[in-house]
Structures are given as C-alpha cells and as structure tokens.
Amino acid sequence: MDRRTFLHRLGGLMAGGWLAGSPFRLLARAAEETPLVRLYYVMGTIVRFEVYHPDRAAARDAVRRASALLFEVHRQMSVQESASILSRWNASPSGAELVLPELTRRAVAEALRWRAATDGRFDPTVGAAVAAWQQGRTPVPQPERQVELDGDGRLRKWGPVALDLGGSAKGWAVDQAVAVLRQAGCTAALVNAGGDLRVFGAPPGRSAWTIGIRHPLRPDEVLTTVALTEGALATSGDYEPDGSTLVDPRDLARVRLDGSVTVWAPTCGAADALATALAVEPDPSWLPASVGALVARRDAEGLRVQTCRWSLAAVSPDQTGRLP
C-alpha cells in the first residue's frame, strides 16, 4: 500500500544512510555477531528480515519458511492480483459466497474484528471506494457494506462489497512470520514489511532495537527514536507527493492527514489496523489502553506532536511538543 514504505537498518557501511521514503530509520551500532539479513519483494513492498540464531543453517531455514508464508499471503489476498481469492470474491455479484482457505479466513476475521474494535474507523469493506479514488473517480455511496464470515470460513456478501486488506493484512502477516522465527529458536529478529515492523529480543551486545521515526515534513530527518525489545510499530502518513489514498469508511471521503501517525502495539496486526484508523481520526484518545501512539501534524506554527501512552514503547526523550 502506497501510504507506507520500508524500514532499513543502518549499520556498518550503511550507517547514516537513508532508503528513500521510509517512515522509520533504524539507528544501530555494530553487533558482536553478524545477523542473517534477507530482503524480499512481496505484498507490494520490500520485506526485510534481520535474524539472530546460534545456528546459521537453522536461521536460513526459518527465514525461508517465514518468507514463503508471506508470498502465500500475497497470492491469496492481494487485490492487485486478479487471480487471488479476494479479487475473485470482490468481482462476484451480490449474494455470492466463498469458502476461504485457512490463511485467508484468519486474515479476514482479524480485519473484521478490527472494524468492530475501532467503531468503523478501520473497515476492510471499502475496497471499491479506495479503487475509485485511485482511478480519479468519486466513490458511489454504499450504505450497505455488509459481509459475513461464519465459523466454517464461508464468506458472504450483500451489496457491492469489495474487501481490501491493505490496512491490516501486511501487519498480520508479519506476526505470522515472527511466529515462525520464534518457533525455530531465533534469539532476536526484526521483520519489516513496508513500514509495518515487529521485533523481539535484542541484537548481541545491545539492550534493544533502536528505531528512528521519520519526520513527516523533513524526510531526511528523524522525528524521534524508540527502543524496543518486544512489540510492533506501524506508521500511516502523507509521505508520498500526492498524499495518501486512505478513505474514511464512515463517509467514503478521501483522508488528507498532513502529517503522520505512528502506533506501537504488542502485535503488528494491531499496530497496522490501528494506524490506519488513527489516520482517519487522528485523536489518540479513542485508542485501546494497551497501545501507544504518536501523532505529528502540520499546523500554522510548524509540526505539532501529540503522544498517548507513548512511554509503553520505551521512547527516547529527544523531541516532543511543537517543532519548527
């Protein structure tokens, strides 16, 4: 999804460098051990694995299996692929139903759960509206955007419903990849999919992963840094020149954030969905008590930064309040 790009670890010869468009910057010192690093282009973005494991062969096998899972998520759920399960369901007429395979069923169930938890600020059923804005058209009102997923994995639709999991499936897939790495005995890892990232453990010789969050108005600068040993971050923002393609599910209007929002959460699926919802309504007071958020938006005096339970993410105390 074009509202996000990817995080890159800066270490060794890459220290101090940027990869264009990244909402995060990883500020790293040299590690005592060399991590296994792999990059894949999947789910419409670059996914970076950085993994520590006492057995190099076991690390390679774990990353291979985790990345294969991400490719399967893309194959089944990408709305850019006409042959995907979701694309075929979206193209079906009103009243259609489809029994979903296990992987897609779990991802759709998670997305629908976040629709309820955010009171509609996040809604995966606005796929047709998102497509209309991307094509330069005004969306047709859809008062009835109803879907039902039963316990057998049967997905039904009433009305012209199109599912788009772009605001949640990437983060959810990162969680599944992290589970594979944990089960394989990895001692520390970072998985970053287009700005949806999750970490556990810490690189050897360090107490945490140190992540810099990109300044939304000055792309070459870090707004603030976060030290994590467990948890996930996701950012939504107007980093692209034409702004975001986020849609408010409540009225199908296109959202112009004029800044960025970052959510810390225990899981990447939660951070991804909640960052999407927070971009729609950038008032962090409605967020669940188990997460933290940073909202950075332009105003007449520069950039105003608002935080909510941000200390949950072990934030470094470098920049808060109003910035020039």
Side-chain angles (χ1 to χ4, degrees):
M1 190 172 179
D2 64 2
R3 69 184 175 88
R4 302 250 176 90
T5 48
F6 61 95
L7 174 151
H8 181 66
R9 175 158 183 207
L10 302 178
L13 295 177
M14 296 298 293
W18 280 98
L19 289 183
S22 174
F24 298 124
R25 182 184 184 184
L26 207 62
L27 310 173
R29 290 174 285 184
E32 294 175 358
E33 296 181 16
T34 303
L36 177 70
V37 177
R38 293 289 186 270
L39 299 175
Y40 300 91
Y41 187 80
V42 60
M43 302 187 298
T45 191
I46 292 178
V47 179
R48 179 183 176 89
F49 286 83
E50 185 167 336
V51 174
Y52 293 86
H53 194 294
D55 184 330
R56 194 76 170 177
R60 286 194 294 268
D61 179 68
V63 171
R64 179 188 58 78
R65 289 185 288 112
S67 62
L69 187 151
L70 300 183
F71 279 98
E72 185 61 18
V73 168
H74 177 83
R75 188 186 72 81
Q76 292 189 21
M77 306 176 208
S78 173
V79 294
Q80 280 72 49
E81 301 290 342
S82 60
S84 75
I85 292 166
L86 281 190
S87 290
R88 289 189 283 113
W89 187 84
N90 287 344
S92 63
S94 299
E97 62 179 43
L98 179 68
V99 177
L100 302 178
E102 177 67 12
L103 196 64
T104 301
R105 183 196 66 77
R106 291 167 54 207
V108 170
E110 179 78 353
L112 294 177
R113 185 176 74 82
W114 284 114
R115 179 179 66 173
T118 62
D119 292 326
R121 297 175 180 90
F122 168 83
D123 190 339
T125 71
V126 296
V130 171
W133 284 119
Q134 290 174 337
Q135 296 163 10
R137 298 182 290 106
T138 300
V140 176
Q142 296 180 152
E144 297 293 333
R145 296 192 306 275
Q146 298 181 5
V147 299
E148 178 185 83
L149 179 66
D150 65 23
D152 296 326
R154 191 177 303 275
L155 184 65
R156 301 181 179 89
K157 69 161 67 177
W158 294 272
V161 180
L163 282 176
D164 184 346
L165 301 185
S168 64
K170 220 176 344 180
W172 178 84
V174 167
D175 290 331
Q176 312 314 303
V178 165
V180 172
L181 301 179
R182 284 187 184 277
Q183 291 166 5
C186 296
T187 57
L190 177 145
V191 181
N192 169 42
D196 298 332
L197 67 92
R198 183 169 173 180
V199 303
F200 65 88
R206 297 167 54 209
S207 60
W209 300 88
T210 305
I211 301 162
I213 297 173
R214 179 182 173 190
H215 195 298
L217 306 184
R218 299 195 291 269
D220 292 334
E221 297 182 19
V222 171
L223 176 64
T224 191
T225 58
V226 184
L228 287 180
T229 57
E230 184 69 50
L233 290 170
T235 288
S236 289
D238 296 331
Y239 289 107
E240 301 300 325
D242 296 331
S244 71
T245 54
L246 290 171
V247 171
D248 188 334
R250 297 166 295 186
D251 60 7
L252 302 184
R254 188 171 180 176
V255 173
R256 178 68 188 183
L257 180 60
D258 207 14
S260 67
V261 299
T262 299
V263 171
W264 172 90
T267 68
C268 201
D272 193 8
L274 290 173
T276 303
L278 187 60
V280 167
E281 186 175 330
D283 175 5
S285 63
W286 62 263
L287 288 169
S290 60
V291 307
L294 182 148
V295 178
R297 303 184 73 195
R298 187 199 303 266
D299 67 12
E301 300 180 35
L303 189 72
R304 181 168 181 80
V305 177
Q306 178 185 8
T307 62
C308 178
R309 294 182 294 274
W310 194 232
S311 60
L312 290 172
V315 183
S316 65
D318 52 0
Q319 295 189 54
T320 57
R322 193 177 297 276
L323 301 174

